[in-house]
Amino acid sequence: MNIFETFESEVRSYSRGWPVIFDRAKGSYLYEEDGKPYLDFFAGAGALNYGHNNPILKEALLEYISRDGVTHALDMGTVAKREFLESFSERILKPRNLDYKVQFPGPTGANAVEAALKLARKITGKEAIVNFTNAFHGMTLGALSVTGNSMKRGGAGIPLVHSTPMPYDNYFDGTTPDFLFFERLLEDSGSGLNEPGAVIVETVQGEGGINAARIEWLQGLAELCQKHGMLLIVDDVQMGNGRTGPFFSFEHAGITPDIVTVSKSIGGYGLPMALTLFKSEHDVWGPGEHNGTFRGNSPAFVTAAKALETYWADDELQRSTLAKGERLAAALGTLAEENAEAGLLVKGRGLARGLQFPSGDLAAKVCASAFERGLLMETSGPSDEVVKQLPPLTLSEEELEQGIAIISEAVRSVMG
Ligand code: PMP
């Protein structure tokens, strides 16, 4: 690890928890330089829902590269973009009756969030946005202003303004009716709340601790937005692309957000790509009003289209994700029961799962023990107290069982 310690900034993080040198990757595994395999229950923080170097996507990519298909294209019209838009419209939007326009904002999740916030402000003429406790939306200033984590916010170095945090679902452990505080502030002309133009929410908070909002809470939020003329932005950067089962995580609740952000696994192969989607009536952008040099990452469009054609032509992936998610949750439930006194808590939806420990220290030890046994998992939550499982959706049942066995051994070794 010498070269990294010498030359790479102290800002690096994953190479600290996993101090080995990875070289190859295939399916659900990453391999160390010397060939040692690691079962990947991290999946590029949700960017590898179809696994590493997926052979079907790789073939499409190699074919595109070898015929000298355009690589870099800003927002020019290309065959790669046409085919992606056709697939996205046919496989995703039309079957779900979603009348969304597609914006390519630049290739990261934060780019998609910035575009969403700017658009919401332009549509409504209001600068105030409501976000939620423990939200995570990215590291750029706009995205950071609607992110909860105080360490990350501190990195901004300037005041992060024009956003107001409200309690996420179950913030008061079920003791307070949903939206009591939020609605009161909206209705009380003396509350001091700047009238919000939009609300931004994750249906399951990934970085915030795998907090899955209840379906009725999400529906209540959509109603509240409607009632008070606030746009609803769902940030599906981490929980979209089938992570919770359906393609969009909000499908569970049967709601239709005004604006949706998508990134991470949309490219399919781990290539950078992002989308900001919005109802067509909200398309108030002027030409070039929001841009970015890497909006047209064509190899990502090729693998994205191939992933949609391969995995979203039927509901097989969705069904297997839900079934595997239930199996994983049941196994975590057994571990929670075994440690009832410590109060371990099982969290999540679909194949976004978490096991909450009483402290970040214990969760870190469990991840370290799993790493020694050949499994990659990270922690999340405000105190890093949640051990988070985000395996590729394409993992086999044997790989799932293998992962469960390692997690169980790791928890038992740490909890005694
Ligand atoms: N939104 C959510 C919900 C995320 O989980 C993330 C990344 N973890 C982002 C936005 C930011 O994405 P990126 O790191 O690609 O900028």
Side-chain angles (χ1 to χ4, degrees):
M1 301 301 289
N2 253 346
I3 186 90
F4 306 110
E5 281 159 19
T6 309
F7 290 110
E8 195 181 347
S9 159
E10 293 303 315
V11 79
R12 68 193 186 280
S13 63
Y14 290 110
S15 60
R16 296 173 191 266
W18 303 328
V20 295
I21 314 279
F22 295 108
D23 184 28
R24 293 177 55 257
K26 187 110 194 87
S28 307
Y29 285 91
L30 268 163
Y31 297 90
E32 236 185 279
E33 206 168 19
D34 68 4
K36 185 180 173 192
Y38 290 85
L39 185 55
D40 189 358
F41 268 42
F42 165 65
L48 294 164
N49 283 4
Y50 312 111
H52 291 269
N53 296 329
N54 182 303
I56 301 166
L57 310 185
K58 181 163 76 178
E59 201 186 313
L61 180 61
L62 289 175
E63 198 271 327
Y64 186 75
I65 291 172
S66 66
R67 75 170 180 81
D68 284 331
V70 171
T71 297
H72 181 272
L74 290 144
D75 68 352
M76 296 173 212
T78 59
V79 169
K81 188 155 81 175
R82 182 175 69 205
E83 290 180 355
F84 168 73
L85 284 170
E86 283 167 358
S87 289
F88 194 66
S89 158
E90 286 304 313
R91 298 284 177 223
I92 305 300
L93 297 181
K94 279 193 193 154
R96 291 164 181 77
N97 280 324
L98 293 169
D99 167 34
Y100 285 151
K101 291 290 278 289
V102 179
Q103 176 182 4
F104 298 95
T108 70
N111 291 144
V113 169
E114 292 291 341
L117 298 176
K118 281 167 76 172
L119 183 65
R121 289 182 168 123
K122 182 163 191 204
I123 295 165
T124 62
K126 295 173 188 164
E127 62 199 24
I129 306 259
V130 161
N131 62 319
F132 288 97
T133 50
N134 290 307
F136 185 93
H137 298 290
M139 288 293 102
T140 50
L141 289 181
L144 204 49
S145 73
V146 286
T147 289
N149 186 291
S150 55
M151 187 270 271
K152 300 277 196 291
R153 288 178 69 87
I158 56 168
L160 295 170
V161 292
H162 309 312
S163 61
T164 307
M166 289 289 163
Y168 193 67
D169 189 18
N170 204 29
Y171 195 63
F172 299 109
D173 303 321
T175 55
T176 306
D178 299 341
F179 311 114
L180 178 74
F181 182 61
F182 191 0
E183 201 158 17
R184 231 354 215 288
L185 294 193
L186 285 168
E187 286 170 1
D188 175 3
S189 60
S191 73
L193 181 72
N194 291 327
E195 210 181 310
V199 168
I200 183 164
V201 69
E202 299 154 272
T203 65
V204 179
Q205 295 181 323
E207 305 306 318
I210 309 290
N211 308 316
R214 286 165 306 136
I215 300 307
E216 40 304 5
W217 187 86
L218 292 167
Q219 291 165 340
L221 180 63
E223 275 170 36
L224 193 69
C225 286
Q226 187 102 46
K227 188 170 156 197
H228 291 275
M230 302 177 291
L231 296 176
L232 177 60
I233 306 171
V234 168
D235 181 351
D236 236 3
V237 164
Q238 189 163 154
M239 294 301 154
N241 296 293
R243 176 51 60 187
T244 72
F247 184 85
F248 294 111
S249 69
F250 55 81
E251 290 176 55
H252 289 285
I255 57 175
T256 305
D258 296 286
I259 304 177
V260 182
T261 56
V262 179
S263 184
K264 294 201 190 260
S265 279
I266 185 67
Y269 201 69
L271 297 172
M273 178 171 167
L275 308 174
T276 305
L277 311 173
F278 34 85
K279 290 181 179 168
S280 53
E281 78 239 38
H282 294 324
D283 193 4
V284 297
W285 287 119
E289 192 177 0
H290 185 89
N291 65 22
T293 305
F294 289 105
R295 277 169 296 165
N297 183 8
S298 308
F301 297 164
V302 170
T303 49
K306 193 70 185 176
L308 297 179
E309 294 300 326
T310 308
Y311 295 105
W312 296 98
D314 57 33
D315 65 357
E316 203 180 307
L317 182 70
Q318 169 168 341
R319 281 193 289 113
S320 89
T321 299
L322 292 172
K324 286 171 192 163
E326 290 306 317
R327 167 69 190 119
L328 180 52
L332 297 174
T334 303
L335 295 170
E337 271 167 38
E338 285 174 17
N339 295 282
E341 273 175 34
L344 304 196
L345 198 62
V346 181
K347 307 171 88 177
R349 180 170 290 140
L351 271 175
R353 293 287 167 179
L355 191 56
Q356 183 174 312
F357 287 80
S359 72
D361 186 42
L362 283 172
K365 283 186 177 144
V366 169
C367 287
S369 168
F371 175 70
E372 277 166 28
R373 291 162 214 268
L375 181 119
L376 305 178
M377 274 189 308
E378 69 169 342
T379 56
S380 77
S383 312
D384 296 318
E385 73 282 22
V386 178
V387 171
K388 175 181 177 188
Q389 297 88 34
L390 225 60
L393 308 182
T394 50
L395 94 167
S396 68
E397 277 167 30
E398 296 72 56
E399 288 165 346
L400 178 61
E401 292 308 322
Q402 194 191 348
I404 286 171
I406 296 177
I407 295 166
S408 304
E409 283 171 26
V411 171
R412 286 170 190 143
S413 76
V414 171
M415 302 302 284

